[in-house]
Amino acid sequence: KIVTEYALKPEMSEELELLKKISSKISMVFTTNYDQFIEREIFTDFKVYDSQNKYYFRTNNEYGELYKIHGSITEPNGMIFCEQDYNQFDKSLKLVSSKLINALMDFPIIFLGYSLEDENIKKIMSDFVNSFDIEIIQEVKKYMIMVVYEKGQKELLEGEKQFVDETTGKIITLTTIKTDNFAEIFRCIDKL
């Protein structure tokens, strides 16, 4: 019941409207959120895939795609919630990695709300860097941006962060943007 109810904060209305505005420029969204906020309020015309076993048996008829990689409240038994769920999720994370790697070859990727310290992101990045040679990694990294939330930071502070695969030593350097000003991020995307 907790994740089925939400209220929109009036002070976030501008940011929400900017995100809605750019939703037509976005073709794929991956989220770990269980709730239905993102598909009800922002990506309303997107086809929702709420379990990994639906990723490859899809028919996309000119809709954007929303992948709920930890499941959805619409199918509570499929939600990734406890340690046992995460252990099972780890076994099938290759499906998510594969989907993201395929998407990366066709579209720019912006990571919002994740860090390179997140275990799932580490595994996905490991799969990515170990799937390609260094020339392809150097080309594709131009299309990857990690937006890092930094409380109180109203500017967009650009930087870099290296990801090193602990097993193979392969490296990718990602562009990072530290900010608390997501409205400005959305304005920049709107200009693309």
Side-chain angles (χ1 to χ4, degrees):
K1 183 177 178 184
I2 291 169
V3 293
T4 60
E5 298 172 357
Y6 60 86
L8 301 178
K9 296 179 179 180
E11 66 271 19
M12 301 304 293
S13 62
E14 177 190 13
E15 187 174 306
L16 181 61
E17 287 305 314
L18 288 166
L19 183 54
K20 283 182 193 179
K21 183 178 177 186
I22 64 168
S23 68
S24 64
K25 295 184 176 194
I26 298 170
S27 57
M28 295 177 132
V29 173
F30 292 82
T31 183
T32 56
N33 293 358
Y34 310 117
D35 62 47
Q36 294 184 300
F37 169 78
I38 200 165
E39 62 262 39
R40 285 184 177 167
E41 302 295 334
I42 301 164
F43 300 102
T44 57
D45 292 332
F46 277 41
K47 175 74 174 152
V48 178
Y49 300 99
D50 52 15
S51 67
Q52 289 184 32
N53 62 355
K54 295 179 182 176
Y55 289 3
Y56 291 97
F57 302 103
R58 68 192 211 290
T59 55
N60 182 348
N61 299 317
E62 301 300 318
Y63 293 102
E65 298 173 331
L66 174 61
Y67 294 90
K68 302 189 87 158
I69 63 175
H70 283 175
S72 174
I73 60 170
T74 60
E75 292 187 31
N77 291 332
M79 290 169 52
I80 310 300
F81 196 73
C82 63
E83 185 176 355
Q84 181 181 356
D85 296 337
Y86 276 97
N87 291 338
Q88 185 61 37
F89 177 74
D90 281 349
K91 293 176 186 175
S92 62
L93 188 60
K94 292 275 187 203
L95 284 174
V96 176
S97 293
S98 174
K99 190 67 190 161
L100 272 168
I101 289 167
N102 285 335
L104 186 57
M105 299 310 288
D106 294 324
F107 309 104
I109 299 281
I110 300 173
F111 294 97
L112 292 171
Y114 285 99
S115 78
L116 288 176
E117 285 72 44
D118 180 281
E119 288 302 316
N120 291 326
I121 293 296
K122 282 183 181 179
K123 290 173 186 172
I124 290 168
M125 293 304 293
S126 290
D127 288 342
F128 173 75
V129 298
N130 291 306
S131 295
F132 302 105
D133 60 30
I134 194 68
E135 290 81 22
I136 292 176
I137 291 171
Q138 293 303 319
E139 183 61 30
V140 173
K141 79 173 191 174
K142 298 175 190 173
Y143 305 105
M144 297 174 75
I145 297 174
M146 182 160 283
V147 178
V148 180
Y149 174 75
E150 187 167 304
K151 186 174 180 157
Q153 179 54 254
K154 295 303 173 192
E155 301 298 317
L156 305 182
L157 297 180
E158 191 171 329
E160 291 184 338
K161 176 101 174 162
Q162 276 194 332
F163 170 80
V164 181
D165 181 72
E166 295 170 358
T167 307
T168 64
K170 282 186 139 182
I171 298 171
I172 186 170
T173 302
L174 298 177
T175 298
T176 61
I177 298 173
K178 291 183 180 182
T179 193
D180 186 2
N181 187 352
F182 282 77
E184 188 58 28
I185 293 286
F186 303 150
R187 282 187 197 96
C188 290
I189 293 171
D190 190 35
K191 293 176 186 174
L192 298 176

